[in-house]
Amino acid sequence: MPKCQIVILKACKFVLLMYNLSVKFYYLYRNNRLFMEKKIEFAPNLMLIDASYLDRVGQDMAKHFSPIVKRELPKADLATLLECLALDAGIALGENAVQVIFVYDEESKKMSFCSPSDMEKELNNVAFQSQIGEFSIYTFQPSDMATREALFIEALMLADDSKDVKRIIAVADEDAYIDKAHNELEKIKGKETVVLFGMNPPLRESSYKFEMLGFPILQALGIRSEEL
């Protein structure tokens, strides 16, 4: 191959590399800006939830268990679900500050299986009190070229960097980016607890704890153990 062609080829590869890096940094900039614009300060207990994935799992479970319990299931109570997630993650009853961050996209602006469900009208910048403590809820939608995946992974990175966060509870999309979520969770050090909720345990060893998402959803749907 002539030297001029080699130089051109290397130049093209360099331009492509710089483009990919610029896109990556753009994502990070936009996502960081989202958090800074809303002036969110992390609480000691941070719950990061992919709304699209949670809704899909919730809908599937409601359809599956309704014939089993032989009754029409009500909408899942979101507050109960969040409480169950917190308890299963090891948060004890008391005066805890639990921060819930929902990441959603255009298709998951309103979840179908639970109530309340509207990311913009019902769930952004609201709070409720329970025996566990205060749950403060915020919702974030990726902007411009960013994706739900990119925003979720960036939120994990920000939580890892935050000295205020002591416990991280994650509900990531197993169908879309679970490997990337696994890699980021593996990097997290210095926290009291890191818990991933899902429907399929990791196939490889992990430094974080795994819990089944299905159990809290069953509780939130009002399904009793004696019905199963």
Side-chain angles (χ1 to χ4, degrees):
M1 183 182 292
K3 288 185 178 180
C4 61
Q5 291 184 7
I6 294 174
V7 172
I8 293 173
L9 181 60
K10 287 183 177 179
C12 289
K13 287 182 177 179
F14 177 76
V15 170
L16 182 60
L17 174 64
M18 294 306 296
Y19 171 77
N20 289 334
L21 286 174
S22 67
V23 170
K24 181 177 180 181
F25 283 121
Y26 179 79
Y27 281 174
L28 298 182
Y29 166 75
R30 292 296 302 172
N31 294 339
N32 270 298
R33 189 175 162 192
L34 274 174
F35 282 90
M36 289 174 12
E37 280 178 353
K38 290 194 177 184
K39 299 179 180 178
I40 303 299
E41 292 183 1
F42 287 132
N45 302 292
L46 178 65
M47 196 177 290
L48 179 62
I49 301 174
D50 187 307
S52 177
Y53 177 71
L54 178 64
D55 194 39
R56 292 200 310 274
V57 174
Q59 288 185 65
D60 288 346
M61 291 192 67
K63 290 176 184 177
H64 176 77
F65 281 96
S66 184
I68 293 176
V69 299
K70 298 177 181 178
R71 62 184 175 90
E72 185 177 346
L73 295 173
K75 294 275 188 180
D77 183 79
L78 185 60
T80 299
L81 174 58
L82 296 177
E83 287 178 303
C84 290
L85 289 172
L87 290 170
D88 286 355
I91 300 178
L93 301 180
E95 297 182 2
N96 301 285
V98 183
Q99 188 175 48
V100 183
I101 293 178
F102 283 102
V103 173
Y104 69 99
D105 53 21
E106 192 66 27
E107 288 72 34
S108 54
K109 275 187 175 181
K110 187 172 183 179
M111 294 187 288
S112 301
F113 88 105
C114 66
S115 179
S117 60
D118 194 300
M119 292 291 145
E120 296 178 350
K121 297 178 181 178
E122 298 176 305
L123 293 175
N124 188 37
N125 199 19
V126 298
F128 70 90
Q129 194 77 27
S130 80
Q131 290 183 316
I132 296 173
E134 182 176 83
F135 287 74
S136 55
I137 305 174
Y138 302 91
T139 64
F140 291 89
Q141 181 181 18
S143 60
D144 298 335
M145 292 191 301
T147 62
R148 180 166 43 88
E149 171 188 329
L151 184 53
F152 189 96
I153 298 300
E154 174 64 10
L156 272 182
M157 295 168 63
L158 292 173
D160 182 20
D161 290 340
S162 173
K163 294 180 180 179
D164 297 324
V165 177
K166 307 302 180 186
R167 180 181 281 106
I168 297 175
I169 302 164
V171 180
D173 192 334
E174 288 184 344
D175 304 321
Y177 53 85
I178 194 59
D179 287 338
K180 289 184 180 179
H182 171 86
N183 292 337
E184 288 304 323
L185 289 167
E186 284 286 280
K187 295 176 185 176
I188 297 175
K189 307 296 179 185
K191 306 297 182 186
E192 291 179 10
T193 312
V194 179
V195 185
L196 174 67
F197 280 86
M199 299 302 290
N200 300 289
L203 297 176
R204 44 187 167 163
E205 261 189 55
S206 57
S207 59
Y208 56 85
K209 185 180 177 184
F210 178 84
E211 292 287 346
M212 288 298 297
L213 177 61
F215 297 137
I217 291 178
L218 287 177
Q219 291 269 13
L221 287 168
I223 297 175
R224 302 181 300 274
S225 57
E226 58 267 24
E227 292 183 284
L228 301 176

